[in-house]
Amino acid sequence: MRPLTAALFLLLLAPAAARAALDPQAVAKLGAEDSEEKLAGVDELARSADPAAARVLQALAEDNLQVANGRVLLLDGERTLDATTLAEVDPAPEGAEPITINNRIRRHVGTALAALRLSDPDRRARLAAAQELADGASLELAPALKAALDREQDREVKPLLALAYAQATLQSPEPAARLSAVKALRDSGNPRVERLLGGLLADGAETDPDVRREALASLEAVRHRLAMGELVGRVFSGLSLGSILLLAALGLAITYGLMGVINMAHGELLMIGAYATYAMQGVFARHFPRHHDWYVVAAVPVAFLAAGLVGAVLERTVIRFLYGRPLETLLATWGASLVLSQAARSTFGAQNVSVANPSWMSGGVPLVANAVLPWNRIVIVAFSLAVLGLVWLAMNRTRFGLFLRAVTQNRAMAGCVGVPTGRLDTLAFAAGAGIAGLGGVALSQIANVGPDMGQAYIVDSFMVVVLGGVGQLAGAVWAALGLGVLSKFLEGWSGAVIAKIAVLAFIIVFIQKRPQGLFALKGRFAED
């Protein structure tokens, strides 16, 4: 039985040994004195796609290879291995010399290691390798890249491999191969391709007229695709900014548009919602770590109630006594905003605090290579639309909305027919403050949370309400989205400060021509 057991053991080891054995000639080239011969050995090992080759090349990059009498040895801690078979050599041969490499070979080894990682089952490892190779791959790696490109199915890795393969093929001495690579790049939307083709069209870079003609056509196609991607990115950024403005302006549309209260503390109500999100993040991290990703969902009602409660207290204790006196209301709410900011500063500190995105809001949706729609902004846009729908339902399908519209159009008449105008004022102000708190939840996912964060949005929120039309939800929607998109386009051309000045000038001119805003309020109150 013993010989049979030994034979089975050897049979089990045989495949592993076969896998570990590398091409002896390729490994021997690593110990050569000539740099070109070393580079050739690196390329041969890279083309083998053998995991053992990656280990040898990694050892070469870390100066852990030696040569003794033409035999390449790999240092593995205290052990010495044969670099071809990875079998231990004991005792280690005397007089072994370390294999040294220059920076050129070291960069080449790094590229070869990236090519070997293209067969890694881990998608992240393949993506990192493809990104590294897309920055520059040699012609010698073209066969390995072609093989990896043929078997790759991942939507993010495959375009990078196509770019790396085209880059490698463009170094071919054959014009037909270069022409094929240029044609393959025409469908790309990667900014690196624009630079690559631009370099190909430089004086003296490409001599074949057919390749130059095709490169010019491909370059124009790539530039058009990049321009479209940039346009999509700006429009989406504008919609994202508009959704934030919409959440901030919806509450203001109620308190200012419907009640006529100039609430300078509205930005601080936004801040309260953001700090409520920060507090819920801490609660989930301490008590529900396994469900930490859902702290944002839990923060929505908490932020609404916290900001709404502060709004109700503010209306009951200050604003109620100042109705009909807009200047005093403005000064009183400005003072309230200072109190709220200082309270946040005393409670959470003067420094900004960070609110991390949940894992399901991380990453993005790549449309083209230069336009990725982040998930956190997609969720914010969807959240804003959901809040808008709820506000519309509350205003048009509930008793509260009916009473509020009645008070807006004719407060005296509404009071005569039994509408509790005083209690309605408190509820309306609390609802507007609560919606501002929801805006704070959204804002916390794209910006740091601090005591002064609300001040950056108060002016923009008033501009949205004024431009959209006082008391008009539809006007607030169009104004918020329009201002958001317009601001993003102007920022791209002239910078943020000039863009804000231009938007403000546009609103001033627009209000001069149409004082009622985009949508005019109808009713006796408006006509008066």
Side-chain angles (χ1 to χ4, degrees):
M1 290 297 292
R2 184 171 297 176
L4 179 61
T5 304
L8 289 173
F9 182 71
L10 290 175
L11 285 173
L12 289 173
L13 285 181
R19 285 195 301 270
L22 298 171
D23 181 3
Q25 295 182 352
V27 175
K29 290 179 180 176
L30 300 181
E33 294 291 336
D34 184 44
S35 296
E36 297 299 328
E37 196 167 354
K38 284 182 180 175
L39 291 174
V42 171
D43 289 334
E44 290 177 21
L45 289 176
R47 285 196 294 271
S48 70
D50 193 322
R55 186 175 179 183
V56 173
L57 292 179
Q58 188 65 42
L60 178 63
E62 296 173 353
D63 299 327
N64 284 330
L65 283 189
Q66 293 183 342
V67 60
N69 300 323
R71 187 182 186 185
V72 178
L73 304 171
L74 188 152
L75 302 182
D76 182 21
E78 299 295 329
R79 300 190 306 160
T80 301
L81 308 179
D82 184 283
T84 304
T85 62
L86 297 184
E88 185 171 1
V89 179
D90 190 19
E94 296 181 356
E97 296 288 337
I99 298 177
T100 57
I101 56 176
N102 54 31
N103 290 336
R104 180 188 172 205
I105 298 177
R106 197 175 296 280
R107 287 194 297 270
H108 205 75
V109 170
T111 306
L113 284 171
L116 286 168
R117 288 198 299 272
L118 292 178
S119 57
D120 196 301
D122 186 357
R123 174 192 171 277
R124 290 174 298 182
R126 298 200 309 278
L127 178 61
Q131 288 172 337
E132 184 175 345
L133 289 169
D135 288 332
S138 63
L139 177 62
E140 290 75 13
L141 293 178
L145 290 171
K146 182 66 169 62
L149 181 62
D150 290 341
R151 66 172 178 268
E152 184 60 60
Q153 300 297 326
D154 188 88
R155 292 178 54 190
E156 194 173 356
V157 178
K158 198 174 183 69
L160 291 172
L161 280 179
L163 174 59
Y165 176 65
Q167 275 190 316
T169 313
L170 281 177
Q171 303 169 34
S172 171
E174 299 296 331
R178 300 199 301 275
L179 185 63
S180 176
V182 169
K183 288 181 178 178
L185 291 173
R186 174 175 288 193
D187 296 331
S188 175
N190 196 316
R192 298 174 185 173
V193 175
E194 183 184 17
R195 295 194 295 271
L196 181 63
L197 293 175
L200 202 64
L201 291 171
D203 293 338
E206 175 58 59
T207 56
D208 188 88
D210 292 336
V211 177
R212 289 186 67 87
R213 192 181 309 111
E214 188 63 33
L216 182 60
S218 296
L219 180 60
E220 291 177 355
V222 170
R223 282 176 174 169
H224 175 71
R225 197 166 290 107
L226 289 174
M228 292 302 297
E230 187 176 355
L231 178 65
V232 171
R234 284 188 180 179
V235 170
F236 180 74
S237 297
L239 292 177
S240 173
L241 174 62
S243 64
I244 295 289
L245 294 178
L246 177 61
L247 284 173
L250 276 178
L252 204 61
I254 295 176
T255 56
Y256 174 66
L258 300 182
M259 302 172 64
V261 175
I262 303 176
N263 181 16
M264 294 301 291
H266 192 77
E268 277 60 38
L269 297 173
L270 203 77
M271 174 202 71
I272 290 173
Y275 271 117
T277 309
Y278 171 71
M280 291 307 297
Q281 177 185 247
V283 169
F284 269 65
R286 177 172 299 178
H287 300 290
F288 311 104
R290 296 180 60 185
H291 306 285
H292 183 261
D293 278 348
W294 299 105
Y295 78 88
V296 175
V297 178
V300 170
V302 173
F304 182 83
L305 293 175
L309 180 62
V310 172
V313 171
L314 188 62
E315 197 277 339
R316 279 286 179 179
T317 57
V318 179
I319 297 175
R320 173 171 295 268
F321 307 103
L322 300 174
Y323 281 127
R325 291 185 286 175
L327 181 58
E328 286 89 337
T329 306
L330 187 149
L331 293 174
T333 53
W334 180 64
S337 73
L338 296 179
V339 172
L340 291 174
S341 294
Q342 185 57 43
R345 198 172 285 109
S346 301
T347 305
F348 298 99
Q351 301 297 322
N352 289 346
V353 296
S354 177
V355 177
N357 289 138
S359 61
W360 51 274
M361 288 176 67
S362 301
V365 180
L367 290 184
V368 292
N370 63 335
V372 178
L373 308 185
W375 275 115
N376 57 351
R377 291 186 178 271
I378 293 175
V379 172
I380 288 174
V381 172
F383 180 65
S384 302
L385 294 177
V387 172
L388 175 65
L390 291 175
V391 172
W392 184 87
L393 287 175
M395 295 297 293
N396 295 279
R397 294 290 186 270
T398 65
R399 193 176 180 84
F400 167 76
L402 178 66
F403 284 178
L404 191 58
R405 284 184 285 127
V407 172
T408 301
Q409 294 183 8
N410 195 317
R411 172 179 287 271
M413 181 62 71
C416 290
V417 297
V419 175
T421 55
R423 190 171 61 190
L424 195 67
D425 288 339
T426 304
L427 290 176
F429 202 90
I435 294 172
L438 297 181
V441 177
L443 192 58
S444 69
Q445 299 302 306
I446 59 173
N448 287 328
V449 177
D452 302 324
M453 63 180 294
Q455 297 175 6
Y457 291 89
I458 185 65
V459 176
D460 290 340
S461 302
F462 272 109
M463 287 197 297
V464 168
V465 173
V466 171
L467 179 63
V470 175
Q472 293 294 321
L473 292 182
V477 174
W478 288 110
L481 298 181
L483 286 181
V485 174
L486 180 64
S487 298
K488 285 301 176 184
F489 273 93
L490 291 177
E491 285 176 7
W493 293 328
S494 58
V497 176
I498 300 298
K500 183 149 289 197
I501 294 173
V503 169
L504 184 59
F506 165 74
I507 292 176
I508 291 173
V509 173
F510 182 84
I511 293 301
Q512 294 297 315
K513 299 293 183 183
R514 190 177 171 83
Q516 67 273 30
L518 291 173
F519 294 82
L521 186 66
K522 297 178 181 178
R524 292 182 180 179
F525 178 81
E527 291 169 0
D528 292 342

